[in-house]
Amino acid sequence: MERDVPFGNHTNVPPQQQNFGADEKMGKIHDPTFLLNYPKKLVISREDRIHLCAEPGKGTEGEEGNIDLERIRNNLPIALKTRLTVFCAIYTYSGHANMTQAISETWGRRCDGILYASDVTSNMTGHFQIPTNSRYGFGYKGMIQRTRSILAYLYDNFLDDYDFFHICGDDVFIIVENLKVFLSSKEVKKWESVQGQYVFAGFWLHWRKLGLHEGYFFLGGGSGYTISKKGLKAFVEGPLQTCNPYEDGSYEDIWFSDCARTISNNFIYTGDEQGGQRYHQGPISNTLNFHLFTRSIEHAARLTGITSALDNENEIVSNSSIAFHQHHQPHELRRYELLLYRDLEDECR
């Protein structure tokens, strides 16, 4: 695919040559298939056993969360009928190797390519340094510039190799099969066949605390956003270069959404036909409270006309859910893996 922006020549993004490999050689390119070639085995440590081996509903997921997870598990596709590929780019830092290790043992292995975008490069953890020009460095307040650097890096090195790219933090659990089913749907294909529409997919977040006007929403960064190859190319060649390229701060989801709107007529709705949500800003134990607190479901219903989930709050979590956010401990990610994909009794013997 032809590129309009020369390699490494992005506005306010450090040049590629500043990327160091673990062997201290500049300009090294990350291997996105390292987990496919060397999969990690799920580890149930002695200290985490009490969390991981609790009876269903008695762990961090809670009783209601367990009901939702059971519905999702029962609706997982038995066999994927799509060949589309997804690259998972996870922003992290050297102090969170325990979180990325849990991702390596769980959902990360199901991505077709994966990147732990970090402040260091380490063959031990799989982290890869993506330089940033943020005055806040790799901290939370530097998220806008970190996201810009990641998008530029994906464009420069992997645009030709993958169909979609999902960007999120290391506190997220992704159900990759459901993500692929959604992305291969007729709805998504039809959406991107329209001129001026690109797949920028995520949760439509409308947070009144931010003073947002009634008709505005943004793609909540917590669960991350999924971008098509076509969308990544258009975003990097356009808004990344010209839309507030020197903006700095933690609100990368608002920056990203504002800039994406300069090239895309709208964002694709990611709820299911019943109004259940696929991208969640909270963990499975707290999705309902989070959605009701922000009133984002109500806002989306007004814009789409899909109101079923409001009639029955127990249906807010879609059977085809994709992402859950806001996990603080690695055992929370491993718990999803056990409840969604494994036999808990066998694993905990």
Side-chain angles (χ1 to χ4, degrees):
M1 181 179 290
E2 293 186 5
R3 292 165 171 76
D4 292 344
V5 179
F7 183 90
N9 190 23
H10 303 279
T11 305
N12 198 35
V13 174
Q16 182 71 52
Q17 287 72 21
Q18 290 186 23
N19 288 26
F20 282 85
D23 53 6
E24 297 302 318
K25 292 182 180 180
M26 290 191 296
K28 178 178 178 179
I29 304 302
H30 164 73
D31 176 10
T33 63
F34 72 96
L35 278 185
L36 296 178
N37 298 327
Y38 304 100
K40 303 292 185 181
K41 183 180 179 180
L42 179 69
V43 174
I44 300 179
S45 65
R46 181 178 300 177
E47 56 269 28
D48 285 344
R49 190 175 183 84
I50 188 173
H51 303 291
L52 296 177
C53 294
E55 294 181 15
K58 303 296 184 182
T60 53
E61 72 283 355
E63 293 184 8
E64 295 297 328
N66 180 61
I67 294 172
D68 290 331
L69 286 177
E70 189 172 0
R71 284 194 292 107
I72 295 170
R73 175 172 179 147
N74 291 338
N75 284 277
L76 283 173
I78 297 175
L80 286 174
K81 299 179 181 180
T82 178
R83 294 184 178 180
L84 68 78
T85 53
V86 175
F87 188 108
C88 302
I90 297 102
Y91 47 82
T92 185
Y93 68 101
S94 53
H96 265 202
N98 59 342
M99 295 298 291
T100 53
Q101 175 65 26
I103 293 174
S104 295
E105 295 174 17
T106 58
W107 64 268
R109 302 181 303 173
R110 289 182 277 274
C111 299
D112 300 291
I114 192 166
L115 166 70
Y116 295 139
S118 183
D119 57 326
V120 297
T121 293
S122 169
N123 289 334
M124 293 293 292
T125 65
H127 286 212
F128 188 78
Q129 184 184 22
I130 304 293
T132 172
N133 278 339
S134 172
R135 65 180 181 274
Y136 300 111
F138 288 85
Y140 179 66
K141 289 185 177 181
M143 281 305 305
I144 291 178
Q145 290 302 324
R146 289 192 67 188
T147 301
R148 295 185 73 256
S149 291
I150 291 169
L151 290 168
Y153 182 76
L154 296 178
Y155 172 89
D156 283 346
N157 298 291
F158 302 115
L159 182 66
D160 296 328
D161 303 327
Y162 298 89
D163 300 308
F164 292 89
F165 300 83
H166 185 82
I167 300 175
C168 65
D170 59 22
D171 59 349
V172 176
F173 189 95
I174 304 294
I175 304 173
V176 178
E177 300 92 332
N178 286 347
L179 175 59
K180 287 189 173 184
V181 169
F182 171 67
L183 295 175
S184 62
S185 66
K186 293 180 180 178
E187 176 188 4
V188 170
K189 293 176 181 177
K190 181 180 178 181
W191 179 269
E192 201 158 67
S193 68
V194 177
Q195 186 175 1
Q197 287 187 170
Y198 305 95
V199 173
F200 299 121
F203 180 69
W204 290 14
L205 185 57
H206 182 266
W207 199 306
R208 291 175 178 172
K209 285 180 66 177
L210 298 178
L212 300 176
H213 63 74
E214 185 64 19
Y216 182 87
F217 67 89
F218 59 97
L219 298 180
S223 56
Y225 2 87
T226 309
I227 309 171
S228 65
K229 176 187 296 189
K230 177 182 171 184
L232 177 65
K233 184 177 189 297
F235 189 94
V236 172
E237 292 178 352
L240 187 80
Q241 312 303 326
T242 61
C243 181
N244 299 322
Y246 298 95
E247 189 82 7
D248 214 356
S250 60
Y251 45 94
E252 102 289 345
D253 44 10
I254 295 178
W255 169 85
F256 178 83
S257 299
D258 284 345
C259 292
R261 279 192 171 89
T262 66
I263 58 169
S264 189
N265 295 334
N266 205 344
F267 296 141
I268 188 170
Y269 181 62
T270 57
D272 63 25
E273 294 179 354
Q274 291 73 43
Q277 298 302 301
R278 292 187 172 101
Y279 291 75
H280 303 280
Q281 299 301 291
I284 190 68
S285 61
N286 200 36
T287 52
L288 178 60
N289 287 338
F290 190 93
H291 290 324
L292 293 180
F293 175 67
T294 63
R295 303 310 301 175
S296 293
I297 301 298
E298 179 183 280
H299 188 67
R302 285 197 297 272
L303 294 174
T304 63
I306 300 175
T307 59
S308 299
L310 289 174
D311 298 331
N312 185 355
E313 293 176 352
N314 293 328
E315 295 178 0
I316 285 179
V317 177
S318 173
N319 291 343
S320 55
S321 286
I322 290 170
F324 294 95
H325 170 237
Q326 216 172 53
H327 306 98
H328 305 293
Q329 298 294 331
H331 65 73
E332 295 176 83
L333 304 182
R334 294 185 176 100
R335 180 69 172 177
Y336 281 96
E337 183 77 9
L338 288 171
L339 293 178
L340 285 170
Y341 297 98
R342 309 292 185 95
D343 185 304
L344 185 64
E345 186 175 337
D346 284 349
E347 296 287 340
C348 290
R349 284 180 179 173

